[in-house]
Amino acid sequence: MSESTMQPWLREILRCPACRAELRDETGAAGPELVCTGAECGLAYRVDDGIPVLLVDEARPRG
């Protein structure tokens, strides 16, 4: 997912639901994802058709 596919104001307010840290755009094995920048958290949230799935239960731990 690139930042251009999401409104800039929305991208700025998105935060990790687990720890409230900022999220960064990355591309994982399954496609685009948002990754938590928190040192203790680091969860990766998938993006389905341009919509971030910010559910902690469905997040992928980064390791």
Side-chain angles (χ1 to χ4, degrees), residues 19-63:
C19 72
R20 304 291 183 227
E22 291 186 15
L23 298 167
R24 70 174 178 267
D25 296 301
E26 286 194 13
T27 301
E33 57 189 18
L34 295 175
V35 177
C36 176
T37 59
E40 298 295 317
C41 184
L43 292 173
Y45 301 91
R46 75 180 190 277
V47 178
D48 291 342
D49 297 322
I51 301 170
V53 181
L54 298 177
L55 300 171
V56 175
D57 291 344
E58 295 190 24
R60 178 177 62 81
R62 302 224 351 148

